Every structure is written in C-alpha cells, then in structure tokens.
Amino acid sequence: MNEEDLESQQDEILALQSIYDSKEFRTNNENQGIFNANVQPALDLVELIIQDDSHIPNCLTHLCTKADNTIVYNVKHLPPIVLKFEYPPGYPSSTFPKLSLSCIWLPDNMLQQVKEHLISDWEDTKDVILFSWTSFLVNDIWDYLQLPNKLVCPEFISEDIIGQLCVFDYEKRLSVFSQSPHKCNVCFDEYKGSLCMQFLPCDHVFCKVCMKSYFEVLINSGDVNQLLCPNDKCDSLALPTQVKELVESDLYEKYERFLLQRTLDQMSDVVRCPRKFPGRNGHSALIPLL
C-alpha cells in the first residue's frame, strides 16, 4: 500500500469518528469497521399494517389503532442497516472498500441493489467514499428504493420480525425522550425527559413531580378511573407501570385494589358471597355464577 492511500484511509476514519458517535460508527482495527445507518423514512413515520396484534408484545398493544379490519402500528425508528467494510490495499486510488450489508426488515434483493449502487458510486469518483456511503444509507435510501410509508405484513414485512420492530421503536422513543428537554403542561417549567412522564398515545408530557401529586389525589379519593391525561378533553389513561413508578408502595397497592374491584364489578358472572370465611379477616369471598 502506498503512503498516499494509507494517509487517505486514516484521514477518512478520523473524519467519520468526528461526525458519528461510537454507537453509529466504530472500527475493529486499522482497516475494518461497522456503520449502523439509522434510516430516515420519507415522512418521518412508517405505518406497519398488520392483520392482527398477536405478533405485537402485550405491553405495546395500547399503541395500536384499528383501521379497515387491520391493525396499524406507527413506527418512528427502524432497526439500522448495518454496513461492514474493510479497506483493501489500493483503496482509494485503485479499488473500493470490501463491503457487506445486513438489515432485518429489508429483503435480500434490495440489499443487493443498494450494494451495487454503492460500488457504482465509487467507480464514478475513484476517491474516498465512506462518507458518501453512510450519508446515502441514512438520508437517501428510502427514496432510492421507493419504499412505501405503509409496510404491509406479510407482503413486505415478515410476521416473524413485527415484535422486534415494535420493541426497537419503543425503546428508541424512550431513549430519545429521556435525553430531550420537555415543558410540563401543568407547571410549564422545562425538564429533561428523564424527569418527565409521557401519556400514550396522545404524547402529552408532564413533569413527574406534578404527576405524583395528581395521582396521589385521585387514588386517595378512589377515582382510579380518572387517572387520565390532565390535558383538556384527552382520554389517554396512565399505565399501571407509570403509576407504580411515581407513588409510594402502599398507595400503589390501594390503586391495585381499586382496579381489581372495578374489574370485578364489571363481571356479570361473579357475585360476592354473603357468608364470612375464617382466615379472610371477616371478609366474604367472590364466587362465580353457575
């Protein structure tokens, strides 16, 4: 390898390390590396169209909507396209980096199409090319492949990966939310996301201090049905996990008892037996109607 090629490779690595963080771009040694391309959809949102929600984790089904006998799950973040590269001797003066592409949600024929495009890109310039490749994967691949903003399962997306896509999207949303500043819609002060709570699916945000007081008042008054988003006319309900995080354990137990009683009251096939049972602190038992 001539010194000019080696210097170009080293400069390219340094430039990419200054642009991307270590989660996006990293090198294994002097001539190998990995880039995780966080693809930007054309409309910043992708709709997963699913026949039923059996492939979506139970903890995320509240984020689904129903439309035309199908389930719609809105995805803001897709798992990355992974570019692995290796510098061969002679790059960039006479050859391009060895490369491989992988992605759980893109079919193999599309990945091959993208790979051929990247190689053609180098042939047009015969110069350092990695930044051009990484920029293309992040910003331009959606339009290049003419990907739709409605990904229908199983025609485009396999049922086997629906759960992975939903979990990845949700965890990424939480990460982005926790690191971003937000204004509380009650006290109107600004807080880091890790100090806030977000109702779903409305996305209204409040600081945890305000929500703690709000939950405590409602639970103590027995209004567990009213643990709704405080925004006017919003009916998004607080999740039990959100309530548990903010209130004391004894108050959360009270909240759970109210929830259980509400559920039992709605069951037409269960009644309370009037007899008192030993060992139940004088309480009656619930029995099913036959």
Side-chain angles (χ1 to χ4, degrees):
M1 180 187 302
N2 64 51
E3 291 186 4
E4 187 174 341
D5 279 343
L6 179 59
E7 184 177 349
S8 294
Q9 293 177 16
Q10 293 171 341
D11 289 345
E12 184 174 44
I13 292 293
L14 289 174
L16 291 170
Q17 288 174 335
S18 69
I19 296 170
Y20 302 109
D21 63 37
S22 58
K23 292 181 180 179
E24 294 174 297
F25 179 81
R26 66 181 186 273
T27 54
N28 299 333
N29 51 47
E30 292 183 353
N31 67 341
Q32 294 180 342
I34 296 175
F35 177 71
N36 292 304
N38 296 307
V39 177
Q40 188 66 43
L43 298 180
D44 295 327
L45 191 71
V46 178
E47 292 184 353
L48 295 183
I49 311 297
I50 314 162
Q51 296 305 313
D52 63 76
D53 60 6
S54 61
H55 298 282
I56 297 177
N58 290 335
C59 60
L60 300 181
T61 53
H62 64 283
L63 299 177
C64 299
T65 57
K66 293 185 178 181
D68 300 327
N69 297 319
T70 59
I71 304 296
V72 179
Y73 187 97
N74 291 326
V75 171
K76 293 183 179 180
H77 308 279
L78 288 163
I81 299 174
V82 180
L83 164 66
K84 293 183 179 181
F85 68 89
E86 180 178 351
Y87 285 149
Y91 170 78
S93 62
S94 60
T95 189
F96 54 86
K98 298 178 182 178
L99 73 148
S100 66
L101 295 171
S102 59
C103 179
I104 66 168
W105 53 273
L106 274 179
D108 291 341
N109 64 314
M110 286 191 173
L111 289 174
Q112 181 61 32
Q113 182 181 344
V114 172
K115 181 177 179 179
E116 292 171 359
H117 173 81
L118 298 181
I119 294 173
S120 175
D121 193 16
W122 176 85
E123 291 174 342
D124 291 339
T125 62
K126 289 185 167 54
D127 201 351
V128 288
I129 199 66
L130 279 184
F131 176 72
S132 177
W133 285 1
T134 59
S135 178
F136 172 81
L137 291 175
V138 171
N139 300 309
D140 301 322
I141 193 171
W142 203 270
D143 289 336
Y144 173 75
L145 293 175
Q146 297 182 331
L147 295 172
N149 279 291
K150 292 186 178 182
L151 302 182
V152 181
C153 174
E155 287 80 356
F156 187 93
I157 295 288
S158 168
E159 292 180 342
D160 297 336
I161 66 166
I162 289 296
Q164 296 179 60
L165 297 184
C166 295
V167 170
F168 180 90
D169 172 68
Y170 184 67
E171 291 179 346
K172 187 70 173 179
R173 289 194 200 196
L174 291 180
S175 176
V176 171
F177 177 82
S178 66
Q179 297 170 25
S180 306
H182 303 274
K183 180 178 288 188
C184 173
N185 287 327
V186 171
C187 65
F188 301 108
D189 287 334
E190 190 169 276
Y191 299 89
K192 190 176 180 181
S194 57
L195 300 175
C196 295
M197 171 187 155
Q198 185 178 41
F199 281 82
L200 297 172
C202 66
D203 291 339
H204 294 141
V205 177
F206 308 89
C207 75
K208 290 182 178 179
V209 174
C210 288
M211 286 300 94
K212 176 178 170 63
S213 299
Y214 175 68
F215 290 158
E216 287 174 346
V217 170
L218 290 175
I219 295 172
N220 280 321
S221 63
D223 292 333
V224 294
N225 291 335
Q226 301 304 315
L227 264 64
L228 303 174
C229 171
N231 262 37
D232 188 35
K233 298 180 181 179
C234 185
D235 59 0
S236 294
L237 188 65
L239 299 175
T241 52
Q242 293 175 316
V243 179
K244 186 176 184 178
E245 178 188 357
L246 297 185
V247 303
E248 299 296 332
S249 58
D250 57 339
L251 197 59
Y252 182 73
E253 290 175 3
K254 185 176 182 180
Y255 162 75
E256 284 191 313
R257 289 197 298 272
F258 280 135
L259 286 183
L260 176 60
Q261 186 59 53
R262 182 188 66 181
T263 301
L264 295 174
D265 290 344
Q266 294 171 348
M267 298 173 65
S268 60
D269 58 345
V270 172
V271 296
R272 186 170 295 279
C273 177
R275 291 185 59 191
K276 305 298 183 181
F277 287 85
R280 298 184 55 85
N281 297 321
H283 294 297
S284 58
L286 293 165
I287 59 173
L289 289 174
L290 300 178

